[in-house]
Amino acid sequence: MAVLPGLPGSSPADRCLVMGVVNVTPDSFSDGGQWYGAEVAIKHGLELVAAGADIVDVGGESTRPGAQRVSAGEELRRVGPVITELVKAGVVVSVDTMRAQVAEFALEAGVSLVNDVSGGLADPYMPRLVAKAGVPYVVMHWRGHSHDMQSRAVYQDVVREVRDELAQRIDAVTAEGVDPSMIVVDPGLGFSKLPDWQGPDANNWELLTRLAEVARIGARDFPVLVGASRKRFLGRLLAGPDGRPRLFAESDDATVAVTALAAAAGAWCVRVHQVPANADAVRVAAAWRSATARRGAQRS
Ligand code: PMM
C-alpha cells in the first residue's frame, strides 16, 4: 500500500496528483465498454501509469445519471482481477466503489485509497472498514443513487449546502473511527448537480470556482479531489450552434483546462480519463503556484 503525497505519513504534495480512470463497465458515463474485460482494463491501467498517472482508480459500477445498480458479485467479478494484477505490477490503485464487500476485497489486494462516491451513505459498513484499514478515504458529496439523482439537484446555495452535507458525512465517518486527516473531500461534480453554465443553476461551476470554501469544514482545510473529466456540464458548455452538447470524449481539452484551474486553486487530485495532457496541466499549475508563493514571500 502506497502512502500518498500530501497526506499523513508522506511528503507534502509538490503538485496536484493525477488519478487515471479505469471503468470496467459496459455502460459508464464517458468511456462505457472501452475497458470492459480484465485484460483490456489491466493494459489500460498500465498505460495510464506510463502516461503519468499517480493513481489508477478502478471501478465496476456505472454512476452515470439514470444508471441502475449491478450486484456486488458482478461488481467484484469486474474489478477483482484488474485490481489484483495492477497492484501486483506495483501500481498505486484506488477502488471506486460504494460497497464494503468490494472495498474489503480491494483492500486485501493492496489498494492505497477507497473512493466512495456516496461518502459512506450507500453502505453503512464502509466507514468502519476504511477506518480499520487506515487508508485515505474519498468522501464525495452525494444525494442518492444514480437512477434518480438529478431530481435531487435542488439548491438555494449550492456551496453552503454541499459543504454542510460533507461536514455531516465527515462527522458520521469519523464517529465510525475514520481518521479525519485521511479524508479527502469531493464536491461530486455531476452528481445531483445541474449541468447549466449560466444563471443560478450553474451548480458545478459554483463548486469548481469555490473549492476552498467547499473544503473548509470546521477549522480544517481538507484535501480536495475534483472529478470534472468528460462530464455533461462540459459537453453543455461546448455545445455547437445547434445547441447539441459536445460528445464526452470531445471534451478532453476542456477537462485539461479545468485541471489547470483546479490545480492552480490548490486541488489535491484530479480524476481524469485521458492522462497525458492533464499530467502536463498539473505541472503548469504547480509552477504557477510556486511563482505566486515566491512573490508573496518576497513582499512580506
Ligand atoms: N465521478 C465518476 C465516478 N467516480 N469518483 C469521485 N471521487 N469523483 C467523481 O467526480 C467521480 C467518481 C463518474 O465519472 P465516469 O463514470 O465518467 O468515470
Side-chain angles (χ1 to χ4, degrees):
M1 184 185 91
V3 185
L4 297 164
L7 296 176
S10 185
S11 50
D14 58 0
R15 62 167 171 79
C16 175
L17 301 182
V18 176
M19 174 185 272
V21 180
V22 178
N23 285 320
V24 195
T25 60
D27 58 341
S28 269
F29 193 56
S30 60
D31 58 354
Q34 255 184 297
W35 323 115
Y36 186 47
E39 211 173 306
V40 277
I42 294 161
K43 186 164 170 278
H44 186 53
L46 296 172
E47 283 164 0
L48 293 178
V49 173
D54 301 291
I55 309 168
V56 172
D57 191 40
V58 181
E61 180 173 42
S62 168
T63 48
R64 76 174 200 288
Q68 298 296 324
R69 298 212 70 186
V70 294
S71 69
E74 174 59 13
E75 195 184 336
L76 262 177
R77 190 192 66 72
R78 292 177 183 182
V79 298
V82 181
I83 290 172
T84 304
E85 287 308 311
L86 288 177
V87 171
K88 261 197 220 157
V91 175
V92 178
V93 178
S94 71
V95 61
D96 184 348
T97 186
M98 293 181 259
R99 286 194 168 103
Q101 190 186 339
V102 176
E104 189 167 25
F105 172 91
L107 287 163
E108 274 165 23
V111 298
S112 302
L113 179 150
V114 173
N115 175 22
D116 177 357
V117 298
S118 82
L121 271 171
D123 186 334
Y125 298 107
M126 183 72 104
R128 194 159 292 179
L129 175 79
V130 177
K132 215 170 97 203
V135 294
Y137 186 28
V138 176
V139 171
M140 199 190 82
H141 177 259
W142 187 83
R143 283 186 166 180
H145 286 289
S146 300
H147 63 91
D148 67 347
M149 68 178 174
Q150 289 312 88
S151 66
R152 298 167 207 252
V154 182
Y155 300 94
Q156 296 294 320
D157 177 342
V158 69
V159 171
R160 183 177 51 74
E161 287 165 61
V162 166
R163 189 191 48 222
D164 290 353
E165 288 166 36
L166 281 171
Q168 284 167 17
R169 295 314 308 148
I170 289 169
D171 285 348
V173 305
T174 52
E176 295 287 336
V178 174
D179 175 353
S181 66
M182 294 299 241
I183 294 175
V184 174
V185 297
D186 181 333
L189 302 175
F191 288 79
S192 304
K193 314 289 178 326
L194 296 174
D196 301 22
W197 61 278
Q198 281 173 318
D201 289 334
N203 296 160
N204 298 287
W205 294 103
E206 278 300 312
L207 292 163
L208 264 174
T209 51
R210 293 167 66 188
L211 289 175
E213 285 172 68
V214 175
R216 178 111 188 126
I217 296 172
R220 197 185 270 268
D221 294 311
F222 284 87
V224 186
L225 188 146
V226 171
S229 185
R230 296 185 175 177
K231 291 226 165 125
R232 198 176 296 217
F233 72 97
L234 295 178
R236 276 278 198 104
L237 170 74
L238 302 172
D242 59 0
R244 247 192 292 178
R246 248 322 152 83
L247 297 175
F248 298 131
E250 290 171 11
S251 57
D252 281 333
D253 292 345
T255 300
V256 173
V258 172
T259 289
L261 292 164
W268 173 74
C269 182
V270 287
R271 180 183 180 277
V272 295
H273 298 86
Q274 276 288 336
V275 166
N278 285 289
D280 286 355
V282 300
R283 291 170 71 181
V284 169
W288 192 282
R289 276 173 72 81
S290 72
T292 309
R294 243 186 345 262
R295 216 169 29 251
Q298 278 161 7
R299 279 203 196 114
S300 60

